[in-house]
């Protein structure tokens, strides 16, 4: 599976948009970009995934560059409850979680 | 619909003891997988159970074992605890086996095990 690179930490003011970048320059054609988050001492929570088109759901938007080498997760109006570690991973749709590596992620702090 | 439930949330044990953790999957889900999460190693796969049978196993010693019951609830057992077993233990449930098309796993809140 392709490796991802994320900044270790970010701050965001409450109510503003949080833009979390991820580099995945070795992504292959059949790999999707997934985003999860983990609030302290809880299990990872699925946020969104995409292949090459931008995606939006009730939680966030995912912007994938045309060459698919990087992506950005956007939380449009960050709240204090969005403070968590955000993981960007790439994997083929059919890969089971035993083969997925969750890296250190980005620790997002939403500041009042 | 209730999510994945893990009990207990927190546990403190001493070296040499054994521990049993419990996971109740989302209703209708037949696969339960277990993971160990530590700051240094990240999220590591332990094993997956589907229809009461272990289907997949990670690279952990035999002290780590599990089982699944007919109602899909699963338990994980760790015997002869070591200090290095201190971690957040997560279970995830999915409708089908991990890796099946369109199968997504949903994680529980985890059990924080501290071995002293």
């Amino acid at each position: 599976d392709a490796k991802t690179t994320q900044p270790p930490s970010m701050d965001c003011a409450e109510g503003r948009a949080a833009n979390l970048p991820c580099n995945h320059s070795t992504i292959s054609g059949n790999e999707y970009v997934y985003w999860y988050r983990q609030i302290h001492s809880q299990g990872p929570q699925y946020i969104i995934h995409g292949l090459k088109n931008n995606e939006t759901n009730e939680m966030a938007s995912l912007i994938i560059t045309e060459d698919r080498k990087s992506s950005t997760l956007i939380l449009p109006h960050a709240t204090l409850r969005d403070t968590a570690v955000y993981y960007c991973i790439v994997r083929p749709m059919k890969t089971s979680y035993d083969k997925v590596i969750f890296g250190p992620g980005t620790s997002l702090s939403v500041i009042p | 619909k209730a999510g994945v439930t893990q009990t207990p949330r927190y546990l403190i044990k001493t070296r040499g003891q054994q521990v049993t953790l419990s996971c109740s999957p989302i209703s209708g889900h037949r696969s339960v997988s277990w993971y160990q999460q530590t700051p240094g190693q990240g999220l590591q796969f332990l094993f997956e159970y589907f229809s009461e049978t272990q289907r997949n196993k990670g690279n952990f010693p035999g002290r780590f074992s599990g089982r699944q019951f007919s109602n899909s609830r699963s338990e994980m057992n760790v015997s002869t605890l070591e200090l290095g077993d201190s971690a957040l233990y997560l279970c995830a449930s999915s409708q089908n086996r991990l890796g099946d098309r369109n199968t997504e796993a949903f994680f529980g809140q985890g059990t924080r095990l501290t071995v002293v």
Side-chain angles (χ1 to χ4, degrees):
Chain A
D1 292 344
K3 187 178 173 182
T4 62
T5 306
Q6 299 176 252
S9 63
M10 291 181 65
D11 291 340
C12 177
E14 188 179 15
R16 305 295 290 268
N19 297 288
L20 293 94
C22 179
N23 285 321
H24 31 80
S25 58
T26 60
I27 193 170
S28 60
N30 70 335
E31 288 182 316
Y32 289 71
V33 180
Y34 278 77
W35 282 84
Y36 292 81
R37 72 180 182 185
Q38 189 169 20
I39 296 167
H40 181 63
S41 289
Q42 294 186 21
Q45 178 190 24
Y46 165 82
I47 302 173
I48 199 168
H49 77 280
L51 184 62
K52 54 183 176 181
N53 298 320
N54 298 336
E55 302 287 344
T56 295
N57 63 20
E58 64 279 1
M59 287 183 70
S61 294
L62 174 61
I63 308 297
I64 302 174
T65 58
E66 197 168 333
D67 63 7
R68 303 211 318 126
K69 293 184 186 298
S70 65
S71 61
T72 301
L73 178 75
I74 302 172
L75 307 178
H77 306 285
T79 70
L80 299 179
R81 280 181 286 188
D82 292 323
T83 292
V85 178
Y86 287 78
Y87 298 100
C88 163
I89 61 173
V90 291
R91 66 175 174 106
M93 177 65 86
K94 291 188 72 175
T95 298
S96 58
Y97 281 88
D98 61 322
K99 296 176 178 58
V100 172
I101 300 171
F102 281 73
T106 296
S107 178
L108 175 69
S109 297
V110 180
I111 302 164
Chain B
K1 196 165 168 181
V4 180
T5 305
Q6 290 187 246
T7 55
R9 288 292 313 279
Y10 301 93
L11 206 49
I12 299 175
K13 291 283 189 179
T14 55
R15 276 183 299 176
Q17 286 188 307
Q18 75 163 25
V19 67
T20 300
L21 312 181
S22 178
C23 174
S24 293
I26 292 171
S27 178
H29 284 194
R30 296 181 295 166
S31 168
V32 173
S33 49
W34 287 89
Y35 303 82
Q36 181 194 67
Q37 187 176 36
T38 58
Q41 298 293 323
L43 197 71
Q44 292 185 286
F45 172 79
L46 280 155
F47 29 65
E48 179 197 8
Y49 283 88
F50 183 84
S51 295
E52 302 177 64
T53 303
Q54 189 180 90
R55 303 292 179 150
N56 222 342
K57 192 176 190 312
N59 191 23
F60 278 82
R63 300 186 297 108
F64 292 81
S65 63
R67 58 178 175 167
Q68 186 180 34
F69 302 96
S70 57
N71 62 357
S72 294
R73 190 177 71 85
S74 177
E75 287 182 347
M76 188 191 91
N77 185 276
V78 187
S79 62
T80 320
L81 283 166
E82 300 176 0
L83 295 179
D85 297 333
S86 295
L88 179 68
Y89 289 88
L90 294 159
C91 86
S93 82
S94 53
Q95 200 158 23
N96 300 310
R97 283 199 56 190
L98 293 180
D100 282 4
R101 182 179 290 277
N102 292 327
T103 289
E104 196 58 49
F106 297 85
F107 287 85
Q109 293 192 312
T111 295
R112 171 74 63 187
L113 172 66
T114 302
V115 182
V116 297

